[in-house]
């Protein structure tokens, strides 16, 4: 865990007081809605279909139990008793009153949580691997660098009014759980031949109307230079990024229009001016940040404790363990993923009661720490294996032990037309219907790892382009039409999916997905061949045939 | 539009000229970039100070040869959501060591003062009188800064280092 000190807390409080003043000026009419809009967005406040939506940052996805309880408190006191975890390591509240927002922010500030830059055309919440610091085989804990970058990008005086939003993600593992290739800047922590820590830097990834996979702009930037290198990229983007058309304003368009070679030359030239400035990070600064991350005092525990050995006889427990429990870097411990995808419910929602109860469980079983992943699930990062059976029972009572992590019902979905003012189509009801169709665990297990991503509009908050199966809702002649893609993925082999054919109506989506899945089961070479691999081997055609032959 | 200069509401000694306004015999003038570049020699020879209004889409490098001779550079925020002039300001102050008046013009609200001060602006044509009056109070809103810029304010990272070192003394 990272501990905010007095300096960080002062800044967060100063921000709350500024926002309180801005809300007051808006309510008195001193600020027009147009002026206020940018200011509220920079504090995570959107005007949605029914009410204001409030988006809170969970930097690099790490939460302490008192922070999770504070989120539960906000859900209960200022909202309707639940929150929605998003693909960006944020939590959103959908029914908040503008006049109460400063109080909600002040309550969160007490535990070092804020909503700075969770929206607006500035640098957004820095995201990272939700297993950071506990995943076996990572170079080092990427959160140390995430925190450095979080600080540097918070209230940055040059880059708070960029052409468009700007997202940075960091991973330190070969298996990318942070989806760095679909971010404006993706950073992969690596060591060079001298054993020094640095980054492979990718730029220009992103989804939305014009999706791109990020391209490597530099194979190695030393850790001490990472802030100046990011600053150089941002400065080039701030000056040359398009501002005439909101749809062409992201850095991915600039990189695409200039070409990565020309863009990287511009960045290089800028970087040479600033790389030896005060932006250079000395080891002492990094050590200071590192020292403020605390790690559990792990016990020496057996690889296979008796409690776990006995519990394996229970088929239900084993079904859950198989997909929710992952290897930990310390022997005797596990990482437990908590599915926020119960059958028939909106993906990513958690009630205040669930959040409070989870905080209690994290205190009891996970050294007081919780993680939030971009798949809209939570995780307990340090669970002793001997505690797994007891934890499972407790989670089950809370409705948080659905054994579907990474299976077909572990769906990523944006809020869609039910909440969002941008959406053209519903997402949540599609997700709900699909979870019902594939509720049978035996069937889901037989299908194996398969990610479905659903977006209710072209902005792609549900990351449909990179779903193994992607579903995009659009509006056509007053009707919701859904376009289906297959073959996308968001990991280290990130790829955009391909359309399987013409869009289908709302009522047909679940049938079509069933057809796609049946086609896969018939086409796969062996049970171990995952859906995504079958699609890669065979392309779209056989799936298209199966789906459209009878339609 | 009130002008804040040196932290106070001040009179503006500069008269803004359009591209084709006849040149007044004396007094301080602010000239659009296009006219300034075209007539620099004539403009700089006359009595009175000369400032230039530089658009946010024009390469700042073009202005660099004149920086020792101009009394003011006015950068433009056509709307407050267009942040290009922040980069221009930092380049002028930090890369090219420009020390004259650096003025923010356009849609300037109190909510940008801290960012602007940090980027190197010291003069502000403020859209609303109430915002101009709130300048000092708003400018002091923050005491913690995470990034190093040319304004020389100590960053949180370095303040922590100092605290750590001072705590270390005598132990």
């Amino acid at each position: 865990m990272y501990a905010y000190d007095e300096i960080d807390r002062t800044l967060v409080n100063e921000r709350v007081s500024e926002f309180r003043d801005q809300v007051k000026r808006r309510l008195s009419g001193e600020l027009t809605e147009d002026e206020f809009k940018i200011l509220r967005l920079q504090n995570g406040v959107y005007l949605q279909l029914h009410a204001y939506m409030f988006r809170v940052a969970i930097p690099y996805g790490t939460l302490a139990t008192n922070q999770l309880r504070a989120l539960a408190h906000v859900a209960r006191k200022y909202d309707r008793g639940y929150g929605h975890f998003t693909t960006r390591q944020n939590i959103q509240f959908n029914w908040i009153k503008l006049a109460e927002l400063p109080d909600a922010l002040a309550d969160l500030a007490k535990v070092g949580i804020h909503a700075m830059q969770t929206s607006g055309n500035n640098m957004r919440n820095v995201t990272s691997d939700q297993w950071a610091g506990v995943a076996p085989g990572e170079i080092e804990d990427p959160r140390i660098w995430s925190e450095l970058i979080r600080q540097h990008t918070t209230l940055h005086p040059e880059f708070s009014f960029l052409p468009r939003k700007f997202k940075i993600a960091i991973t330190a593992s070969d298996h990318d759980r942070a989806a760095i290739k679909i971010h404006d800047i993706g950073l992969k922590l690596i060591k060079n031949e001298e054993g020094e820590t640095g980054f492979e830097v990718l730029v220009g990834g992103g989804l939305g109307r014009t999706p791109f996979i990020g391209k490597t702009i530099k194979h190695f930037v030393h850790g001490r230079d990472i802030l100046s290198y990011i600053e150089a990229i941002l400065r080039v983007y701030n000056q040359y990024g398009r501002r005439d058309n909101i749809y062409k304003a992201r850095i991915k368009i600039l990189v695409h229009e200039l070409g990565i070679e020309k863009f990287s030359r511009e960045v290089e030239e800028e970087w040479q001016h600033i790389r030896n400035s005060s932006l250079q990070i000395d080891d002492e600064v990094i050590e200071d940040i590192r020292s403020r991350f605390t790690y559990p005092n792990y016990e020496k525990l057996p690889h296979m404790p008796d409690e776990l050995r006995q519990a394996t006889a229970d088929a239900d427990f084993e079904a859950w363990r198989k997909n929710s429990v992952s290897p930990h870097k310390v022997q005797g411990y596990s990482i437990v993923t908590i599915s926020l995808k119960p059958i028939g419910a909106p993906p990513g929602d958690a009630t205040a009661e669930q959040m409070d109860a989870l905080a209690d469980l994290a205190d009891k079983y996970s050294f007081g720490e919780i993680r939030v992943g971009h798949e809209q699930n939570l995780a307990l990062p340090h669970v002793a294996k001997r505690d797994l059976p007891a934890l499972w029972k407790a989670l089950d009572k809370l409705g948080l032990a659905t054994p579907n992590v990474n299976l077909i019902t572990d769906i990523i979905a944006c809020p869609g037309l039910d909440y969002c003012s941008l959406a053209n189509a519903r997402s949540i009801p599609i997700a709900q219907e699909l979870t019902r169709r594939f509720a049978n665990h035996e069937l889901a297990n037989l299908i194996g790892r398969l990610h479905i991503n659903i977006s209710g509009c072209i902005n792609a908050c549900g990351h449909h382009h990179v779903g193994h199966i992607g579903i995009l809702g659009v509006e056509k002649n007053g009707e919701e039409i859904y376009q289906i893609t297959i073959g996308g993925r968001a990991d280290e082999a990130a790829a955009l999916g391909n359309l399987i054919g013409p869009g289908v109506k709302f009522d047909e989506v679940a049938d079509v997905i069933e057809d796609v899945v049946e086609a896969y089961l018939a086409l796969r070479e062996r049970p171990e061949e995952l859906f995504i691999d079958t699609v890669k081997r065979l392309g779209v055609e056989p799936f298209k045939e199966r789906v459209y032959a009878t339609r | 539009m009130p002008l804040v200069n040196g932290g106070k509401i001040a009179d503006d000694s500069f008269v803004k000229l359009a591209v084709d306004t006849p040149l007044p015999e004396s007094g301080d003038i602010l000239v659009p970039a296009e006219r300034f570049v075209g007539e620099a020699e004539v403009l700089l020879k006359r009595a009175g100070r000369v400032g230039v209004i530089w658009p946010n889409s024009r390469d700042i490098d073009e202005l660099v040869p004149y920086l020792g001779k101009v009394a003011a550079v006015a950068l433009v925020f056509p709307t407050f959501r267009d942040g290009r002039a922040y980069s221009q300001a930092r380049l002028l102050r930090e890369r090219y060591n420009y020390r004259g008046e650096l003025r923010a013009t356009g849609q300037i609200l109190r909510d940008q003062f801290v960012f602007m001060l940090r980027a190197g602006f010291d003069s502000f044509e403020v859209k609303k009188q109430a915002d101009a009056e709130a300048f000092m109070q708003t400018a002091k809103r923050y005491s913690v800064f995470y990034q190093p810029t040319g304004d020389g304010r100590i960053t949180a990272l370095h303040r922590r280092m100092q605290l750590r070192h001072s705590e270390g003394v005598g132990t």
Side-chain angles (χ1 to χ4, degrees), chain A residues 5 8 14 18 154 158 270, chain B residues 87 95 142-143 146-147:
Chain A
D5 62 7
D8 299 297
E14 286 169 348
E18 180 180 45
T154 297
E158 187 178 340
E270 182 57 40
Chain B
S87 288
R95 184 163 308 162
Y142 287 96
S143 64
Y146 278 131
Q147 316 79 7

Side-chain angles (χ1 to χ4, degrees), chain A residues 34 47 96 107 138 142 165 202 239 248 283 439 483 497 509:
Chain A
D34 188 50
L47 188 53
I96 203 123
D107 290 352
E138 68 183 7
K165 57 187 167 182
L202 292 91
Q239 285 175 301
K248 297 190 170 178
D283 292 345
Q483 299 175 348
V509 174

Side-chain angles (χ1 to χ4, degrees), chain A residues 16-32:
Chain A
V16 173
S17 114
E18 180 180 45
F19 190 59
R20 197 179 284 283
D21 173 58
Q22 288 165 342
V23 169
K24 197 171 107 196
R25 281 154 59 216
R26 174 67 194 119
L27 293 174
S28 77
E30 213 181 313
L31 278 173
T32 65

